[in-house]
């Protein structure tokens, strides 16, 4: 085959073979990411707390409409805005941070159209791993005005039962249900 024919064949092949999509990798911004939880306190009120130390990685391939998330949370960073509740949350009855200092959430991002809509994942809490699905309520990417690179943010939420993770004290009925929310921002690597 002549070199001209070979180059023409290579050019046609390059045009007709779809380009491989390239995923973007992001690092979770710990200054703008705060997983939080809320649960009933004896049916009288709703306790709310947040975790102040979070790290993680997110991968998005918007062309292929796939992605993944891996979030690590420092369990000792729980903050209910109430010193006694904070102290109790660290004990073996609750988060047992002496034995399990980190919680992890790993999941696959699912798209609806061109936008991430949910995460099918696994939460590891107190050494127990269970499925937890998160619904993504909002998602947006933009050039970060200070860092001059792409930043994406989302608000996601889901539910779990704390007894499933070994927190059985006072977990009957509504008291055992925890509503989890994650506000997350991540900068492209």
């Amino acid at each position: 085959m002549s070199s001209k024919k070979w180059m023409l064949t290579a050019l046609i092949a390059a045009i007709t073979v779809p380009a491989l999509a390239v995923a973007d990798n992001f690092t979770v911004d710990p200054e703008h990411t705060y997983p939080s939880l809320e649960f009933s306190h004896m049916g009288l009120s709703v306790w709310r707390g947040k975790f102040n130390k979070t790290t993680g990685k997110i991968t998005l391939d918007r062309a292929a409409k796939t992605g993944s998330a891996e979030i690590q949370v420092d369990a000792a960073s729980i903050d209910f805005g109430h010193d006694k509740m904070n102290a109790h949350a660290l004990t073996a009855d609750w988060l047992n941070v002496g034995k399990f200092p980190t919680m992890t959430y790993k999941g696959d991002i699912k798209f609806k159209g061109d936008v991430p809509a949910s995460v099918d994942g696994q939460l590891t809490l107190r050494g127990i791993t269970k499925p937890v699905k998160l619904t993504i309520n909002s998602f947006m990417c933009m050039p970060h005005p200070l860092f001059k690179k792409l930043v994406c943010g989302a608000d996601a939420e889901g539910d779990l039962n704390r007894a499933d993770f070994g927190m059985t004290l006072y977990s009957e009925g509504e008291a055992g249900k925890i509503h989890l929310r994650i506000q997350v921002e991540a900068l492209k690597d």
Side-chain angles (χ1 to χ4, degrees):
M1 179 184 289
S2 74
S3 63
K4 285 184 180 181
K5 275 188 172 180
W6 183 87
M7 287 184 359
L8 182 59
T9 303
L11 180 61
I12 291 170
I15 293 171
T16 59
V17 174
L20 295 175
V22 177
D24 290 324
N25 295 309
F26 295 83
T27 298
V28 169
D29 179 354
E31 298 295 320
H32 294 93
T33 302
Y34 296 98
S36 62
L37 54 91
E38 58 186 56
F39 56 92
S40 174
H41 181 249
M42 301 185 306
L44 298 170
S45 62
V46 176
W47 280 89
R48 291 182 176 90
K50 68 179 179 110
F51 294 92
N52 292 320
K53 294 182 182 174
T54 304
T55 59
K57 294 286 188 180
I58 296 171
T59 301
L60 283 178
D61 186 335
R62 290 186 274 182
K65 297 180 174 132
T66 63
S68 64
E70 183 172 337
I71 308 293
Q72 297 85 31
V73 177
D74 178 348
S77 72
I78 188 73
D79 183 359
F80 285 97
H82 186 278
D83 292 340
K84 287 184 181 179
M85 184 60 189
N86 293 347
H88 182 70
L90 304 179
T91 69
D93 289 340
W94 253 72
L95 297 174
N96 196 2
V97 298
K99 190 171 181 183
F100 306 105
T102 305
M103 296 181 292
T104 304
Y105 182 78
K106 296 179 184 180
D108 294 322
I109 298 170
K110 305 296 181 186
F111 279 63
K112 184 175 183 180
D114 293 331
V115 180
S118 64
V119 185
D120 289 340
Q122 301 281 323
L123 175 66
T124 301
L125 170 60
R126 294 174 45 107
I128 299 168
T129 302
K130 297 281 185 179
V132 174
K133 182 173 183 167
L134 299 175
T135 299
I136 298 173
N137 299 317
S138 64
F139 175 84
M140 184 178 138
C141 294
M142 62 180 264
H144 194 286
L146 297 176
F147 300 120
K148 307 300 182 203
K149 57 183 172 178
L150 190 65
V151 61
C152 294
D155 178 69
E157 64 184 327
D159 295 300
L160 59 100
N161 188 312
R162 62 188 173 111
D164 291 344
F165 295 91
M167 295 179 280
T168 56
L169 186 63
Y170 308 119
S171 65
E172 298 82 24
E174 287 298 309
K177 295 179 183 175
I178 292 179
H179 187 67
L180 176 66
R181 296 185 79 101
I182 299 177
Q183 68 187 50
V184 59
E185 291 183 21
L187 289 163
K188 186 175 175 184
D189 293 345

